[in-house]
Amino acid sequence: MEQSVDTFLKEARDFLDGHAEHRPDGFPDAMFAQFRELPDPEAWRADCVAWQRLLYDAGFAGLTWPTEYGGRGLPSAYALAWADLESEYDVPRGLLGVTLEMVGPTLLAVGTAAQKSHCPAILRGEEVWCQLFSEPDAGSDLAGVSTRATRTDTGWRVNGQKVWTSEARHAKYGYLLARTDPEQHRHPGLTAFIIDMTSPGVEVRPLRQMTGGASFSEVFLDDVELSADAVLGEIGGGWAVAMTTLGFERFSSFGRSLGRLVRQASELGWPDQSTREKFLDAVIDQRALAAFEAGMHRRLVAGTPPGPEAALAKLATGMVVSELADAVAERLGPRLSLRDGTVDDWRLVLLSAPAFHIAGGTDEIVKTMIAERVLGLPRG
Ligand SMILES: Cc1cc2nc3c(=O)[nH]c(=O)nc-3n(C[C@H](O)[C@H](O)[C@H](O)COP(=O)(O)OP(=O)(O)OC[C@H]3O[C@@H](n4cnc5c(N)ncnc54)[C@H](O)[C@@H]3O)c2cc1C
């Protein structure tokens, strides 16, 4: 019989207390890890992989994934309870975000049995994946992807360039969106593929971000050969596969992690009236976001999948990060540029803030989606 959520949570807390530091008021490092300048990216990779393996061995990985693919087959209430609890601890997270939250669920939703068989290795942390969607001329306008996959006797040959590919340099596999029908310039000409990132013709060039981190890469694909069974979903059905994935991406919940950031910020002291008011506006919005997400979680547990609400939460997350970053920047003033180690985390938050308005669909695109699909306003 399935254990109750309360019993599960007690076991989860015992596990986390035994393996991680409980810092509900500490800096939410997992939320900003991908932007940080890492002295040793390989060491970080190893820490993230080891943590995932530990979770798997203890039965805390893939809580909602089917048991035949290495998961626990539990209802989403358990995964949400775990995520809430884990957000109070310092754990090495970030490397496997795309793999666990987007690729794995997509494979489970549309993959063949052979493609789904990657899932246990994913849960054990043995396979890092990346998402090869964006291109220099196709970001918001994803249907404009021009990377070409042409048929060969044995499968497909791929040529093109991707950009902003998170964690590509650590990835063993990629989930690629390419154009298979050049006659179709938009959605119907696209197909999703699985690509081995060690294949001849794949070149990964890391890009340095303004935060100092280098989690993104440009990926060049030059006559990369794929077998016929690399197709994910239907040939010409890449748009539907991509939309399935982006649905998973928009359902992230950062409200509680932002609560940690608020508590960090309150320690700065806010003697000046106008900066204090800005900080308090950010605190109010963070509380509203956390309450909104809690309601979304309750509805999810009751069986209502997240729809447009997830887009609203995504917009609000970017807003709260920016409000907090701006208030802290005003509070610290020129001190924020000191490289003495005292303000590094805040500089990281300030320089990472724009990314929360871009990743997974820019604010403008998300607002258009809400206007058209939620409010039913006329299409622009
Ligand atoms: C942290 C982070 C991680 C990412 N990881 C990945 C990844 O792993 N894989 C991947 O494939 N991509 C990734 N991306 C890329 C991301 O998906 C794109 O940056 C995003 O979709 C925007 O595309 P773009 O950068 O080409 O901007 P553009 O689409 O060129 O947009 C430029 C500006 O124009 C505005 N704009 C564009 N079209 C419209 C319109 N129709 N109406 C109103 N305004 C518009 C945009 O809002 C934006 O302000 C990541 C980005 C970030 C920040």
Side-chain angles (χ1 to χ4, degrees):
M1 204 183 85
E2 202 170 272
Q3 64 186 159
S4 70
V5 176
D6 286 345
T7 312
F8 167 82
L9 268 179
K10 184 179 174 321
E11 282 178 13
R13 193 177 284 283
D14 287 347
F15 168 81
L16 285 164
D17 283 340
H19 295 91
E21 201 180 336
H22 187 228
R23 285 212 314 145
D25 293 335
F27 183 76
D29 205 55
M31 189 171 170
F32 295 93
Q34 65 173 313
F35 307 111
R36 201 183 275 287
E37 183 168 6
L38 299 169
D40 184 350
E42 273 310 311
W44 177 70
R45 176 193 198 285
D47 284 350
C48 291
V49 165
W51 176 249
Q52 184 60 31
R53 177 71 206 212
L54 199 61
L55 293 183
Y56 180 84
D57 289 343
F60 293 111
L63 294 172
T64 57
W65 293 22
T67 49
E68 67 264 44
Y69 295 111
R72 291 275 307 269
L74 293 168
S76 52
Y78 293 76
L80 294 168
W82 167 268
D84 270 356
L85 185 63
E86 198 201 34
S87 73
E88 296 176 7
Y89 290 77
D90 276 346
V91 296
R93 277 281 198 209
L95 172 75
L96 291 161
V98 166
T99 310
L100 292 167
E101 283 148 37
M102 296 168 67
V103 174
T106 306
L107 293 178
L108 289 170
V110 304
T112 60
Q115 291 167 343
K116 287 181 194 172
S117 71
H118 282 281
C119 290
I122 285 178
L123 288 181
R124 289 193 297 270
E126 290 161 8
E127 290 183 6
V128 179
W129 287 58
C130 63
Q131 180 192 303
L132 298 153
F133 282 14
S134 303
E135 298 182 358
D137 290 322
S140 302
D141 184 22
L142 193 56
V145 156
S146 63
T147 291
R148 277 294 316 275
T150 44
R151 277 190 195 269
T152 63
D153 291 344
T154 52
W156 303 85
R157 181 172 300 127
V158 182
N159 281 286
Q161 187 202 334
K162 297 290 174 177
V163 73
W164 311 127
T165 317
S166 301
E167 310 308 346
R169 67 172 160 173
H170 296 298
K172 192 168 176 181
Y173 294 101
Y175 158 25
L176 168 79
L177 196 60
R179 185 161 302 283
T180 42
D181 183 351
E183 301 298 315
Q184 304 273 1
H185 293 295
R186 305 292 295 171
H187 315 86
L190 299 172
T191 301
F193 293 93
I194 292 175
I195 176 169
D196 182 334
M197 295 295 284
T198 62
S199 306
V202 178
E203 189 192 346
V204 176
R205 294 189 202 156
L207 291 166
R208 181 71 56 190
Q209 298 147 224
M210 67 176 166
T211 54
S215 59
F216 304 120
S217 294
E218 293 176 296
V219 177
F220 294 86
L221 304 160
D222 186 12
D223 281 341
V224 181
E225 301 289 341
L226 301 181
S227 58
D229 60 6
V231 172
L232 184 59
E234 303 292 323
I235 296 171
W239 187 254
V241 179
M243 289 306 103
T244 304
T245 306
L246 294 182
F248 297 127
E249 180 168 43
R250 292 201 174 110
F251 182 55
S252 52
S253 50
F254 286 122
R256 282 176 69 103
S257 297
L258 286 171
R260 284 175 70 161
L261 204 57
V262 160
R263 289 191 283 280
Q264 287 277 292
S266 59
E267 285 173 18
L268 294 172
W270 295 83
D272 171 72
Q273 174 77 14
S274 83
T275 45
R276 186 164 64 232
E277 279 177 12
K278 280 192 178 164
F279 173 54
L280 290 177
D281 282 343
V283 175
I284 290 164
D285 288 339
Q286 180 272 325
R287 296 274 162 88
L289 171 62
F292 182 74
E293 285 181 353
M296 202 160 75
H297 287 185
R298 277 195 299 277
R299 284 186 290 283
L300 187 65
V301 168
T304 311
E309 300 167 296
L312 290 170
K314 184 196 172 308
L315 270 184
T317 298
M319 184 180 84
V320 173
V321 175
S322 288
E323 285 176 343
L324 269 172
D326 290 348
V328 169
E330 207 168 309
R331 168 74 187 87
L332 293 176
R335 241 185 82 198
L336 201 53
S337 58
L338 286 182
R339 296 253 168 200
D340 64 356
T342 58
V343 293
D344 289 355
D345 285 346
W346 286 118
R347 196 167 47 247
L348 178 67
V349 172
L350 182 69
L351 297 180
S352 307
F356 289 88
H357 298 270
I358 300 171
T362 65
D363 283 4
E364 289 76 15
I365 297 299
V366 175
K367 281 180 188 168
T368 300
M369 195 186 87
I370 292 169
E372 291 174 356
R373 298 195 207 152
V374 182
L375 302 175
L377 297 179
R379 293 174 75 89

